[in-house]
Amino acid sequence: MRIRLAVAAGDAASARDDLERRFTALADQKPWPDFRKMEEVVALAAKGGDRGEALALARRLLHTANTKPDVFPAFAFISAARALKVAGADADEVRQSLDLAEAAFPQDPKTIVGFGFNSGPIQWGGFGLEAQARREIANVRARLGDLDAVKNMMNGIEDPAFAWRDMLSPDIPVAFLDPLLQTASNALSSEDFTYVRACLAQDLALADPSDLQAVWAKATATDILQTDFLASKRASITYQCLSRVGYFLKNGDLYHKAVERMGQSALASRDFVDLFRAAISWHSFETTAKEGYFP
């Protein structure tokens, strides 16, 4: 809290002291440094406009990952890569950290990398650790535009619908989204592919989108609503995502079509949760329309 107050107040010297103090405490934490929170400190420095401090801390994070290995070393290097990216480091410097993360993968997915009090031995490939690391690396690669590397990292990943949903994020440049989705389409069923597209459109609309992001989200939502009616188990959630695109982009026509489709899919499934979700969404649409929310 003190760090955030100093940053918000524009007190550069105080903010820098507080950032370094907090970072050092996290780096010295036992038995392992808290790399995730160190990454958050770097992001806070970058958000405060102190790029020099952010970059210095990001490089310290990478140094710490090299000298004080985490229980799962790959994730420490992934945190370093993200920190370097947000701090504005050169792309090659970010890639070097990602390379170290990949090099830290155990060669055998059955390798035991830890012990849980309740779960017992933890295998690298048996507890979702490998899949998580691959998703996180792929996300940073996507932000860098390393599309072939993303394809290789996501190839054969477990639960591909969840994996692609989790990996694709609003901070990936719009120019890379369609090529990435083309790759995703080869690994997903048509229903899951539509779901992933709808979720991404929603995420963009929610994230204070740029003009390009808003155009992409609207075009994607419109395209999905013009295709055949969805009747899959994810249909209701897919249409809910599209309704949020319409709402946050203040597009009443798109919003109306999405909630209408949501209601139709709920009636088709007869699922209580789908019906309840559709009723709430339809009520919200009518309320916002009556209040003159749409231009």
Side-chain angles (χ1 to χ4, degrees), residues 254-267:
L254 197 159
Y255 191 4
H256 179 262
K257 289 179 179 177
V259 295
E260 189 174 55
R261 286 282 186 98
M262 195 192 311
Q264 292 170 351
S265 69
L267 290 172

Side-chain angles (χ1 to χ4, degrees), residues 77-245:
F77 289 118
I78 294 170
S79 283
R82 283 195 297 255
L84 288 164
K85 183 72 173 67
V86 78
D90 181 85
D92 286 340
E93 191 173 2
V94 179
R95 291 186 180 104
Q96 288 171 7
S97 190
L98 293 174
D99 291 341
L100 290 171
E102 292 185 43
F105 280 28
Q107 292 186 350
D108 184 353
K110 294 182 180 180
T111 298
I112 295 175
V113 294
F115 289 87
F117 287 111
N118 297 319
S119 60
I122 298 174
Q123 292 182 347
W124 174 248
F127 284 72
L129 291 171
E130 180 183 10
Q132 180 183 346
R134 288 170 65 184
R135 294 194 306 269
E136 293 186 13
I137 291 172
N139 174 261
V140 183
R141 294 283 190 191
R143 289 158 58 190
L144 293 171
D146 299 343
L147 304 189
D148 287 339
V150 173
K151 181 178 180 179
N152 292 334
M153 188 58 61
M154 296 294 287
N155 184 39
I157 197 167
E158 64 183 66
D159 194 356
F162 170 79
W164 280 98
R165 166 73 180 98
D166 185 65
M167 190 281 289
L168 292 167
S169 61
D171 49 8
I172 297 173
V174 172
F176 303 146
L177 296 182
D178 287 332
L180 287 168
L181 285 167
Q182 180 59 47
T183 298
S185 69
N186 297 325
L188 303 172
S189 68
S190 60
E191 293 85 358
D192 285 344
F193 179 57
T194 300
Y195 161 75
V196 169
R197 292 175 68 208
C199 290
L200 180 55
Q202 169 197 256
D203 292 347
L204 289 172
L206 288 170
D208 189 19
S210 65
D211 289 343
L212 283 176
Q213 289 175 319
V215 167
W216 191 93
K218 177 184 175 182
T220 298
T222 300
D223 180 63
I224 293 173
L225 290 170
Q226 289 175 343
T227 59
D228 293 339
F229 175 71
L230 299 173
S232 66
K233 63 180 181 180
R234 285 195 169 108
S236 180
I237 293 293
T238 298
Y239 287 131
Q240 184 179 53
C241 290
L242 300 180
S243 73
R244 289 171 178 160
V245 174

